[in-house]
Every structure is written in C-alpha cells, then in structure tokens.
Amino acid sequence: FRFIIWICVCTLVFLSLQFHDLIPAFMVSPDGVMFEFPSFTSQKEDKGSSGGDLHRFVESLKSRLPVEYHSRILSSAKSAVKPVWGCKADNINVSPPVDKFIFVHVFKTAGSTMRSFFDHYATLCPSKSYATLTSCTSIEPSSLNTSIWKPCVLKYDRKDGERHNLKQTPVPKENLHSYDMIGGHFRIGLMDHLDDTGSVNPRNRHLVFVRNAAMKYISGKVYIRTKAQRNLTSYDIICEIEEEIKGMIQSQEHHMKYTNYLLTPTQARQRQKESWSYQQRAQVVMQNLIDYNCTIGVVEDMTGSMEMLRKILDPSRQASDLFDAYRGDASIKANVSPLSSESILETLRQEYPETYNNLTEFVKYEQQITDFAMALYKLQRQVQNDGR
C-alpha cells in the first residue's frame, strides 16, 4: 500500500514539473487573484512562440469576460496593435483610418513619462500634433454635449513641432478636433463626445498603461505625502499604510482608482446611481479594454511596451532613437519618486506580513484589472510579433 502511495506522489510531482510552464502567471479566481508579478518573456521568446500560446492567452481572458465577448478577444488584440501612422507622414493603409491616438493617463502608471514621450514624438514628427488635457475625470455630465468642457484644462500642446503652454480652462470642445494625439487625466471614451454621439468611435485608438496594484497604491501614497511634507522616510509611509488599510479592511472598503479613468463618463454616472459593487466595477473596466480595443502598456515591462508602441507609431523606424530612450532601466523617466515603491513593498512583505496581507486584500479588485490587462498585453505582443 505504501509503495502505491509513493508511486502516486512521484507521478504527481513529475506531472507538476512538466506542466508548470503551461500555467499562466496571470490566472485569476472568481474571488480574487494570485498576487504575483507577471513573468514576461523576452522579445526573442515572443517571436518564437507558437500558435498554442495565442489559444492559451485567449482562453485565460475568456474566464474574466461574459460569453458575448469571447469571440471578440482576438480581433480586439489585432486592432490594438495595428500601425496608425508613421513619424514622417508616410501613408499606412489602416482601415478604418485612425483619427486620434488617445493616451488615458491612469494615476501612477508611468503617465508623466508617457506624456513626455508624446511631446518628444510630436517634436520629431512635426506632422503630428499633441495636447495634454488634465482635471477632466470629473467632467460635468451636462458639459459633454455642449461646446465647453468643464472643469477640463488644456495644459499645453505641440503643433508643427512648436510647444505652446496654454492652461486653458474651460476647454472649448472644438479646440480638441485639430489634435492627432491627446493625453492626460480624463476618462476612457471621453473623445467619443467630440462628435456629440457618445458612441464608441472606431477611428479613435486608446493607450492605457497598468501596474502591479500594490506598487501603484504605494507610489500614489508616496507622491501625495512627499508633496505635502518633505523628508519623509519609508518607515513613515509604512506606518501610514498600516493605519489606513486596517480601517478600510474592517469596513470592507477597497482601493479602486482605475475606475476614475477606465469607466466612461456615462458609466461613472451610472455607477453612482446604481451603487455598483467593486466586482461590477472591475468587470466593466475589463470589458471596456476590449470594447475600445485598448493598446496596453505595462510599467513593469517598459522595454516590451515601447517596442510594441514603436511598431504602432513608427513602423518604418524613422524615430527609433526616441523609442529606445524610453525603454529599459536607463530610460527617460519623468516625475521620479523620492522613495522606492518597490523597496517599500518588499519591506512590507518581509517585515510586516500582516500589513502586506491586508494590502493585497485592499487592492485585490485593482489587481484583477491589472492581471487581466497584463494578459491582454501578452496577447497583443504575441499577435504583433506573429504578424497576424
């Protein structure tokens, strides 16, 4: 009998070793997520991947979406990585042609870095114009179909290679029609209201960056606190996190800031009226990433993200040096934090396990969105590298 048990155990161990690599790092359960960083493959590995990986990525995404979305996952990924134009106004056959490339700046997801990138892109590629729009996540519903958008601020733009500091508020809606690229703090789908319909405009392409949810939360905490008070230490931040999360967990509240940007203005109003649960909010955000064919960038993989963007915005490699400057550890970074979020998270993991566990619980719905978006990012890179 003992011999039979021993054989069974050995068989299970063997099978687990054989199939370990087939388990996606981003798999989620209905009640939560595996709180782990995704395992990104290198560009060489991506190029050599088989069609089986596409199937695996699609199947993992299906587990988080209603049935009616299942047939659209792959087509959304293909749309998300199509080239939109070239740096020097070279003609690229895209159907339908892209009107605007829209960067939705989610707080603490490399947004300042990417706004700097688009500003530099519009300098090197003067045929393309760029504008930064801020303070627009709380746009008044009554403003959407009017000529003035309140309380939005048109911070600056670059046209014909020249930068103009504007700080224009409120924003005349007609002023936004002339830009090829718009980035900043506003909600996904906002630019659909430029033509007063509010329906999804297939000629607009959205770019969204995501980040490990705990790291994103800590980075936001560091940013806000160090702006208000200098000379704060990592220990000060940890103490504040401990105190804040304990009360939130006790009252069953969760950190959910993606919804400030990844729910449309109409959905945001509906959420307030109907008191959506955290899970409902997360679900709608994930569906929006498919509905809007969002190109996904990942803070933890800037190298892969910038390579994917290069193929979208500069397929003929006329501005390769610019994309190279924003990828990898030595990349250009804007608005760098004085304290390391990664170091604080690791300290919590090793020295404050209870607080760390509370933190993962506190951000679990944000992590669901991050995990889903990271899986979508992997699918998009696979599709792009396979040339499908």
Side-chain angles (χ1 to χ4, degrees):
F1 179 73
R2 289 181 180 176
F3 177 75
I4 293 173
I5 292 177
W6 182 81
I7 290 293
C8 291
V9 169
C10 290
T11 302
L12 287 172
V13 170
F14 173 78
L15 290 173
S16 67
L17 290 172
Q18 294 299 307
F19 292 99
H20 177 269
D21 290 338
L22 298 180
I23 301 173
F26 43 75
M27 283 294 286
V28 294
S29 68
D31 299 320
V33 299
M34 294 173 61
F35 192 78
E36 295 178 2
F37 289 99
S39 55
F40 293 107
T41 56
S42 68
Q43 189 178 346
K44 286 184 179 179
E45 290 173 322
D46 277 345
K47 286 184 176 179
S49 297
S50 67
D53 287 331
L54 278 179
H55 176 74
R56 178 163 60 92
F57 295 154
V58 169
E59 289 303 311
S60 69
L61 287 161
K62 283 182 180 179
S63 68
R64 301 306 305 169
L65 291 170
V67 173
E68 60 267 25
Y69 279 80
H70 292 186
S71 62
R72 295 170 49 196
I73 294 171
L74 189 56
S75 63
S76 174
K78 290 178 179 179
S79 296
V81 297
K82 282 183 180 179
V84 297
W85 50 56
C87 174
K88 305 297 183 183
D90 49 335
N91 293 324
I92 294 175
N93 185 20
V94 178
S95 180
V98 173
D99 281 346
K100 298 192 184 304
F101 196 82
I102 300 164
F103 170 52
V104 180
H105 177 177
V106 176
F107 183 58
K108 304 316 294 180
T109 58
S112 297
T113 297
M114 292 310 299
R115 278 155 60 172
S116 169
F117 162 79
F118 282 110
D119 188 40
H120 280 101
Y121 180 89
T123 304
L124 280 176
C125 313
S127 66
K128 301 303 173 189
S129 56
Y130 170 71
T132 288
L133 189 68
T134 64
S135 305
C136 216
T137 56
S138 59
I139 186 170
E140 299 172 10
S142 58
S143 293
L144 289 173
N145 295 323
T146 66
S147 60
I148 298 292
W149 278 0
K150 301 176 182 179
C152 306
V153 178
L154 191 57
K155 193 172 182 180
Y156 65 85
D157 73 8
R158 191 173 290 275
K159 286 186 173 181
D160 300 318
E162 296 292 327
R163 175 167 167 143
H164 312 95
N165 293 317
L166 303 172
K167 295 188 177 179
Q168 183 182 51
T169 183
V171 178
K173 186 167 65 172
E174 64 180 18
N175 289 13
L176 299 175
H177 281 282
S178 62
Y179 298 109
D180 301 299
M181 303 175 292
I182 301 176
H185 292 303
F186 50 79
R187 292 184 177 277
I188 192 171
L190 176 64
M191 300 306 156
D192 293 338
H193 293 272
L194 286 178
D195 60 6
D196 295 331
T197 66
S199 57
V200 177
N201 182 354
R203 295 168 68 103
N204 288 339
R205 180 80 64 83
H206 288 76
L207 170 67
V208 174
F209 267 73
V210 297
R211 186 179 188 180
N212 173 277
M215 199 88 79
K216 176 172 165 288
Y217 166 77
I218 294 170
S219 181
K221 175 67 70 176
V222 169
Y223 175 78
I224 292 169
R225 293 297 293 118
T226 53
K227 276 191 72 174
Q229 182 181 342
R230 294 184 177 181
N231 302 320
L232 285 177
T233 66
S234 294
Y235 178 74
D236 294 325
I237 299 296
I238 288 172
C239 288
E240 291 198 18
I241 289 173
E242 259 189 317
E243 185 175 344
E244 178 179 51
I245 319 181
K246 188 178 292 186
M248 293 291 190
I249 293 296
Q250 288 174 350
S251 58
Q252 296 186 321
E253 293 185 51
H254 294 272
H255 185 69
M256 194 58 157
K257 298 299 184 183
Y258 274 129
T259 51
N260 289 352
Y261 310 93
L262 300 181
L263 292 181
T264 68
T266 303
Q267 290 166 348
R269 187 164 66 247
Q270 186 179 355
R271 179 194 73 80
Q272 291 176 333
K273 287 182 177 179
E274 300 177 6
S275 301
W276 290 355
S277 69
Y278 288 106
Q279 188 61 68
Q280 285 176 303
R281 292 178 233 174
Q283 187 67 52
V284 173
V285 167
M286 290 186 280
Q287 291 169 198
N288 281 346
L289 296 180
I290 299 295
D291 285 335
Y292 284 89
N293 299 327
C294 290
T295 304
I296 304 297
V298 175
V299 174
E300 289 87 354
D301 187 29
M302 287 300 290
T303 297
S305 299
M306 294 311 297
E307 176 59 20
M308 185 162 71
L309 271 180
R310 186 197 63 72
K311 293 177 181 179
I312 293 170
L313 296 173
D314 185 34
S316 54
R317 292 183 172 272
Q318 295 169 323
S320 290
D321 289 348
L322 173 63
F323 289 85
D324 290 342
Y326 281 86
R327 55 188 286 172
D329 294 335
S331 65
I332 296 173
K333 295 177 182 176
N335 200 17
V336 178
S337 173
L339 298 173
S340 168
S341 301
E342 187 173 0
S343 175
I344 291 173
L345 182 59
E346 187 58 30
T347 299
L348 284 170
R349 192 198 310 265
Q350 293 185 4
E351 301 178 24
Y352 301 84
E354 183 180 354
T355 303
Y356 175 79
N357 290 334
N358 283 340
L359 175 58
T360 61
E361 172 67 19
F362 184 48
V363 301
K364 72 177 183 180
Y365 293 105
E366 286 236 316
Q367 190 62 36
Q368 281 188 19
I369 295 168
T370 297
D371 287 344
F372 177 86
M374 285 178 170
L376 188 55
Y377 164 78
K378 280 192 169 187
L379 176 62
Q380 289 175 2
R381 290 211 67 201
Q382 188 71 61
V383 167
Q384 190 183 58
N385 289 331
D386 285 353
R388 297 181 182 232

